Amino acid sequence: MILTEATDSLRRLLQPVLPDGGSVFAGSPAHWASFAAAQQSGIGLFLHRIEEVPTGMGSDWHDVRDEAGRVVARGGPARRFRLSYVLWTWSERSPEEETQLLSGALEILAAHRQLPASCLTGTLAQGAGPARLTPAPEGLASPDGLWGAAGLVHRSTLQVTLSVDLVPDTVGPAPLVQERRLRTAPTSSGRGGPVRTGQGR
């Protein structure tokens, strides 16, 4: 779910850039071609790389307590992942509009160091840390091969990374011990000693 939620959150952030009738397509360039034929203009988003990011969040489980201070669950450490997207634009109206769309996408991404809370969906809205945005990061491999592999003409693209936290489900505590049974070591007669019962804590 987190990958779908990350893409949907980016889609929400980019929505104001679109002209009337425009749309955001989320998928590979190979699938985009048939979609674009029915849309005059829009922005394409393709998640093409996922990497885990080493963090200092710690590796220990922690107690989840209720208002009375009782342990009601155990939570594992969050793990951070870097999602790399390729973004491109298209317009059937004019090349100028296509460039304007790409420029608008760059500006709105550069204006945010992290996704605004109003754009977050699902578990991202409850994450352990912010969903950090980095437009046009250095060091990423060129995505140019995506177009040739799909048999499409190369288009100008913008790469953007989104770092998100994956928080594991909490685990319920072990049930409380209600009764304890203790048996003593065998006696010289070979019989076991008496059984003692008592209430556990």
Side-chain angles (χ1 to χ4, degrees), residues 101-186:
L101 276 172
L102 192 60
S103 176
L106 174 60
E107 290 173 5
I108 200 168
L109 290 169
H112 296 85
R113 292 186 177 274
Q114 63 189 54
L115 283 174
S118 58
C119 295
L120 299 178
T121 64
T123 55
L124 281 183
Q126 306 165 5
R132 294 190 177 88
L133 274 171
T134 308
E138 293 183 329
L140 286 185
S142 172
D144 292 349
L146 294 173
W147 303 103
L152 300 172
V153 177
H154 177 268
R155 309 184 75 86
S156 297
T157 59
L158 169 64
Q159 294 198 75
V160 58
T161 62
L162 179 63
S163 297
V164 299
D165 293 331
L166 181 59
V167 181
D169 294 335
T170 56
V171 178
L176 294 176
V177 176
Q178 300 298 324
E179 185 179 63
R180 290 182 295 181
R181 294 178 179 271
L182 304 176
R183 183 177 294 276
T184 63

Side-chain angles (χ1 to χ4, degrees), residues 71-95:
V71 176
V72 295
R74 295 275 291 164
R79 298 171 68 180
R80 179 158 286 259
F81 290 86
R82 181 185 297 114
L83 313 180
S84 299
Y85 289 85
V86 175
L87 182 152
W88 68 94
T89 59
W90 78 92
S91 174
E92 296 298 328
R93 300 186 183 97
S94 68

